[in-house]
Amino acid sequence: MSSRLPNECYQQIFSNVQDTKTLFSIIQVNHTWCENAIIFLWKNPFRKEIDYNHTKIIPVLLSFLKKDKNTFFDYPSFITHLDFDNLFRITSKFYDNNENEVEYFMGLMEQDDTLPSIFSKLEYDKWPGFGQIWVIILLILVNMARRRANIQWFKFDIRYNDIKGFLSNNGKENDDVEYFYVDDERIVGSNVEMRYNIVNKIENIITTFLNLDDFSESKNFFENLEYLELDRSSFKVAILEAFSMCKNLKTVEIEHPFFQLILRPLVSLIKNQNNLENIIIYGVHNAYMADYHDAIFEIISSLNTAAHSLKRVEICGIKMMNDETFKFIGNCKNLEVLKLEDSYVSIKNFEWIALAEFSKLRSLELVYNWSNKEYVSQFNPIQMILQNKSISLNLKSLHLLNTYIKNHNLLKSISENCRNLINFTTQLTADDDIKYLFNILGNNPNIKEFQLLNPGYPMNLSTGFIIDLVKAFPKKTDYIRLVHIINNLDEFRKFLENCMVDLKFLYVVVSTNNDINEFGECVKRWSEERKKKIKKLDIFSIPSDKKILVRWE
């Protein structure tokens, strides 16, 4: 039966499908579905969820070298997302497993006189393996530009595993070498010069492409870019300078160990934006480096030029010593999300936040920060922020875990001013916190996710407290994390027995003197009694503590 729906309707429906396997199924239904879904399947062909062993993408994108080759769809023109690191991984895998095809495409390239002149000058054979990969990626970018790909999203995050095969030691690492990993194997630690030399060559693919003298299409390739993410491993200076033509970025996410080295191009990029909405900055604590404090001040204060459009500000791993750093924040009238993590924030900068009029702020996350030691021994600076009703009344998500700063009267201020919380995270630092915690739970009936941490301050967290806590949860609460709140199996059993909410997720951390397997058996019996089907049950034992994680259907 022929379709009566216009193509626009199909495309509107298919645009909401994010899962690659589902899109693959859709394009196999019939021709109409295929031609309307293929643009979304090829929107981000290098997405992480696609296994980088899926190397069939590469010959499709190189098919323009075959003068008599016609493809049913103009695949390169559909691409809007360029996950460059995954492109590098897929291309590397293609090179490793398809020697004949690589040689074939290299031959076609040498015969194609319509390509930019650089391809006739490249001596890629001087870089065994890496040279061919470099050329293939440059060819793909040229083909995408020729086909008018509208790139809106770009990410560069080369990791150690991506380049170790190109190191002079053939990827053999000394097991005694110290590395400074974050969540993955990024390129930091030993042999810095060798590794960054490889990364620099990879970055050079981008800068070479953007500066091709006889290929005007490359100059406009990123003109519609809206999302830019540059993670820790890259030099960034050349890329930031090359992207200076971008004026309409909505999101900039950048991680760097030495922001003073990229100060000028980063500030220039920020100031060039017309409507920057999201800025995410990740650093490391290296304030001992020359010019660090001046660089941080200049970078963050430059956000004043984008204050009118900023909706999200996230800063992690940064020392903000200059008292004027956050002076700009009061101009961010459209701010919806503010996150400061693992950072030093001076008291004056906390005051700048507390004085702001954030009528649209929905999420405030202040975790693992610290401040002037003499001041925080007497007063919690975050309390000033929560006393500002233009901030606290509209908050939906509030996460406060700053173990180096005692609460003092922080929970009292939250209980007096917050009424619309859905997600709430806090810590207990004194017995006086407990009554205000119960007030918060009572004043916010829509709390769905609740997390509570005991950072180790002397308190009396008895079995009676555990029973009162679980009885105080609002009816909508179904996600609970308790870290060093429950002391033993008996308290865990009492917690479950008195739990009246419909739990979907429970995460409990206890001390090492507990048998965590007994906790697992206890939750199994309780689930069976309550006729709740466990979807996932994990238990962990590490030197510092023991953990149980449960998910129910």
Side-chain angles (χ1 to χ4, degrees), residues 361-363 392 394-398 420-424:
L361 192 70
R362 297 294 179 269
S363 176
S392 55
N394 297 312
L395 282 176
K396 302 292 185 184
S397 181
L398 179 61
N420 296 297
L421 296 178
I422 296 176
N423 302 326
F424 179 54

Side-chain angles (χ1 to χ4, degrees), residues 245-469:
M245 85 291 285
C246 300
K247 306 292 183 182
N248 297 304
L249 287 171
K250 291 184 178 179
T251 299
V252 173
E253 180 172 339
I254 188 161
E255 181 179 358
H256 203 278
F258 308 108
F259 277 99
Q260 53 271 46
L261 301 181
I262 62 169
L263 169 62
R264 296 304 166 205
L266 178 55
V267 169
S268 177
L269 182 75
I270 291 172
K271 290 184 175 181
N272 281 342
Q273 302 315 306
N274 296 321
N275 291 289
L276 183 63
E277 295 182 357
N278 309 296
I279 181 76
I280 300 101
I281 298 175
Y282 291 95
V284 296
H285 302 303
N286 53 13
Y288 60 88
M289 299 292 291
D291 303 322
Y292 172 86
H293 296 301
D294 290 341
I296 293 302
F297 167 70
E298 192 166 345
I299 290 169
I300 296 179
S301 60
S302 72
L303 294 173
N304 190 51
T305 61
H308 67 284
S309 56
L310 279 175
K311 295 182 178 180
R312 184 185 199 98
V313 174
E314 294 189 17
I315 298 174
C316 178
I318 299 294
K319 287 188 176 181
M320 290 164 278
M321 307 288 287
N322 189 308
D323 285 342
E324 301 293 300
T325 303
F326 262 86
K327 186 176 181 179
F328 80 95
I329 203 75
N331 296 322
C332 299
K333 304 300 183 182
N334 293 305
L335 196 65
E336 298 176 2
V337 176
L338 176 60
K339 176 181 178 180
L340 302 179
E341 180 178 358
D342 194 25
S343 296
Y344 179 93
V345 185
S346 72
I347 295 300
K348 184 61 179 179
N349 284 313
F350 274 120
E351 289 179 359
W352 287 120
I353 299 172
L355 291 171
E357 296 289 331
F358 291 147
S359 61
K360 297 182 180 180
L361 192 70
R362 297 294 179 269
S363 176
L364 177 63
E365 185 170 348
L366 304 173
V367 295
Y368 305 116
N369 301 297
W370 71 103
S371 190
N372 310 50
K373 186 177 296 186
E374 298 80 9
Y375 190 97
V376 300
S377 65
Q378 303 296 324
F379 181 79
N380 190 315
I382 301 170
Q383 183 180 342
M384 298 183 293
I385 301 173
L386 276 303
Q387 287 173 335
N388 182 341
K389 292 186 182 295
S390 71
I391 296 175
S392 55
L393 284 177
N394 297 312
L395 282 176
K396 302 292 185 184
S397 181
L398 179 61
H399 299 282
L400 304 175
L401 282 179
N402 301 281
T403 56
Y404 299 109
I405 305 176
K406 289 190 69 173
N407 285 345
H408 297 293
N409 289 317
L410 175 62
L411 296 191
K412 181 175 184 291
S413 295
I414 297 172
S415 69
E416 293 172 348
N417 296 295
C418 295
R419 294 291 185 273
N420 296 297
L421 296 178
I422 296 176
N423 302 326
F424 179 54
T425 300
T426 191
Q427 63 188 20
L428 295 177
T429 63
D431 289 332
D432 288 345
D433 289 340
I434 294 175
K435 61 181 177 181
Y436 297 118
L437 174 63
F438 289 146
N439 288 342
I440 294 169
L441 294 173
N443 293 339
N444 292 271
N446 293 318
I447 289 179
K448 183 176 177 64
E449 297 186 10
F450 175 79
Q451 304 181 62
L452 184 64
L453 169 72
N454 172 13
Y457 292 93
M459 287 177 292
N460 180 28
L461 300 184
S462 63
T463 303
F465 163 73
I466 299 299
I467 295 173
D468 290 340
L469 176 65

Side-chain angles (χ1 to χ4, degrees), residues 47-56 85-94 97 161-162:
R47 57 171 69 88
K48 282 291 190 295
E49 66 181 87
I50 295 180
D51 186 349
Y52 65 82
N53 289 311
H54 187 64
T55 58
K56 294 179 181 179
D85 38 290
N86 221 29
L87 169 60
F88 182 82
R89 294 175 193 122
I90 294 171
T91 305
S92 299
K93 196 72 174 181
F94 174 75
N97 296 335
N161 279 339
D162 301 326

Side-chain angles (χ1 to χ4, degrees), residues 483-484 507-517 538-548:
V483 179
H484 295 300
Y507 176 79
V508 174
V509 179
V510 296
S511 61
T512 55
N513 57 3
N514 287 283
D515 184 347
I516 198 64
N517 291 303
D538 290 327
I539 55 177
F540 312 90
S541 293
I542 60 176
S544 59
D545 46 46
K546 296 183 178 182
K547 309 173 184 181
I548 180 170

